[in-house]
Amino acid sequence: MSMSGLNCVESCLNCHLRSRSFFCDLAPESIEDFNRIKHAASFPEHSVVLVEGQSAWGIFILCQGRAKLSTTSRDGKTLIVRIAEAGEVLGLHAVVTAVPTN
């Protein structure tokens, strides 16, 4: 359990949240390899994880819950682009292309 009181699964090998998503559905050997290089974190509701224009510092696999993906309009209003669901990979394009998030 994390300091915020949220459950944080430290090991993908015995995760109770496993689903039929890309990373969860890897072969056992691949999950073991992935488990060695990943970092687990929990974020409280309404946390800002990445800010528009920030350089990507990794990809995120949303294991539980939902996340709003938003952008800011020219007049400063926050616009929700879409809602990401559990099992989705976020930030992969920004990491692969080395282009800041937008």
Side-chain angles (χ1 to χ4, degrees), residues 25 45 57 63 74 78 82 85-86:
D25 219 16
E45 191 173 349
W57 49 279
C63 295
R74 288 185 185 159
T78 301
R82 71 181 184 89
E85 300 288 340

Side-chain angles (χ1 to χ4, degrees), residues 51-68:
V51 176
E52 191 172 354
Q54 176 183 29
S55 294
W57 49 279
I59 65 168
F60 293 85
I61 301 170
L62 188 58
C63 295
Q64 184 177 20
R66 299 177 351 171
K68 291 180 187 174

Side-chain angles (χ1 to χ4, degrees), residues 2-3 10 15 21 25-26 34 37-38 55-56 61 69 71 81 84 86 97 101:
S2 71
M3 296 290 286
E10 294 296 329
C15 175
S21 63
D25 219 16
L26 292 171
F34 176 72
I37 64 168
K38 63 103 174 129
S55 294
I61 301 170
L69 306 180
T71 189
V81 177
T97 63
T101 59

Side-chain angles (χ1 to χ4, degrees), residues 38-49:
K38 63 103 174 129
H39 171 77
S42 293
F43 297 94
E45 191 173 349
H46 304 294
S47 293
V48 175
V49 178

